[in-house]
Amino acid sequence: MTNSLRVSLSILLGLALWQAVVSLFGLPKFILPAPALVAETLWKSRALLFEHALITIMEVMIGLILGALIGGLTAIWLASSPIAQALVRPLLVFSQTIPVFALAPLLTLWLGYGLLSKIAMALLIIFFPVTSAFFDALMRTPQGWLGLSHVMGANKWQVMRQIRIPAALPGFASGLRLAAVYAPIGAIIGEWVGASKGLGYLMLLANGRAKIDLMFAALLVLALFTMVLHACVDRLCTHMVRRHQ
């Protein structure tokens, strides 16, 4: 069974279970709309959904790129500096004890209701997974490779650039795959706290007006975008690792 066929069957099974719950319990549409109603709303409101989806996609992509770049550089810095490991790494771990919902209002207050606060939320939520996965991989470089590099007279940065980073790319790829799933969560949380555009804002607006079918339609658009983003990042990471191997 091919991967696309498995995905299609899973989607059909999910839709069947959704429809069965609505039919068996006789749920009104303001509680749980039927799949057909959500599909109809998705088509009728396609222009509105597209407009708000573009904003969310922009926030997620910028946050993902910045988070991957800053997280990767931070991991390299930590791996190359014992002082940074001793002083900075505990701060990074402590930062994860603060719920992102608590940071969202502060970021909105400091950066405003525009794109910046949402990009910052997406960046913050993916920064630690990327940094942690890449740092752990950098610290697991085979000792035989490191010993050989010292015998050949390579300096610290040559070892980092030519041996440790290429060897740690699978770990970096794992962090990016997680980031592709987490980045939309950060952007949506930021939009829930304060925004005038975006899928998160549209969900809140639809919920406040009891348009649950529109809220589900926006949720489906977000889920579809997240799946496509994860698939693209996964393919890019696979190509990157294979090329360096």
Side-chain angles (χ1 to χ4, degrees):
M1 184 181 295
T2 63
N3 186 52
S4 58
L5 181 58
R6 287 197 298 268
V7 172
S8 300
L9 291 176
S10 297
I11 293 175
L12 290 176
L13 177 61
L15 291 175
L17 292 175
W18 182 357
Q19 181 62 55
V21 170
V22 174
S23 300
L24 288 175
F25 295 97
L27 298 176
K29 64 181 182 179
F30 61 85
I31 297 295
L32 181 63
L37 178 59
V38 174
E40 180 183 354
T41 303
L42 187 63
W43 175 252
K44 289 182 178 179
S45 304
R46 60 189 183 278
L48 177 65
L49 290 166
F50 180 76
E51 176 187 354
H52 287 277
L54 280 181
I55 302 299
T56 301
I57 290 172
M58 186 184 305
E59 296 165 353
V60 171
M61 294 306 299
I62 296 176
L64 179 61
I65 293 172
L66 291 178
L69 179 62
I70 298 174
L73 292 176
T74 302
I76 294 172
W77 176 45
L78 291 174
S80 60
S81 173
I83 296 177
Q85 291 181 36
L87 299 179
V88 178
R89 196 181 180 201
L91 293 177
L92 296 179
V93 175
F94 173 76
S95 69
Q96 298 307 297
T97 64
I98 304 175
V100 290
F101 280 101
L103 294 176
L106 293 175
L107 292 176
T108 302
L109 176 64
W110 295 337
L111 301 177
Y113 288 86
L115 292 178
L116 284 180
S117 58
K118 287 70 181 177
I119 292 172
M121 275 298 302
L123 189 156
L124 287 176
I125 205 170
I126 69 175
F127 170 76
F128 186 79
V130 172
T131 303
S132 180
F134 194 25
F135 172 76
D136 289 342
L138 286 169
M139 300 304 292
R140 292 197 304 267
T141 307
Q143 291 299 318
W145 296 4
L146 297 177
L148 181 61
S149 66
H150 290 307
V151 170
M152 298 179 67
N155 60 40
K156 182 175 69 173
W157 292 111
Q158 287 175 328
V159 172
M160 177 64 72
R161 182 171 59 87
Q162 298 179 8
I163 297 179
R164 298 183 69 182
I165 291 178
L169 284 179
F172 184 56
S174 298
L176 289 181
R177 291 185 180 99
L178 289 175
V181 177
Y182 291 155
I185 298 175
I188 292 299
I189 291 174
E191 291 175 355
W192 283 348
V193 172
S196 58
K197 288 183 179 180
L199 290 175
Y201 164 78
L202 184 60
M203 290 179 197
L204 286 181
L205 183 65
N207 184 58
R209 297 181 178 181
K211 295 183 177 181
I212 309 304
D213 51 339
L214 180 59
M215 187 183 73
F216 269 81
L219 183 61
L220 288 178
V221 171
L222 177 65
L224 178 61
F225 163 66
T226 304
M227 291 176 64
V228 171
L229 178 62
H230 181 269
C232 292
V233 170
D234 178 66
R235 187 167 184 176
L236 177 64
C237 290
T238 301
H239 175 73
M240 176 182 66
V241 171
R242 285 178 179 174
R243 180 180 178 183
H244 282 81
Q245 284 178 342

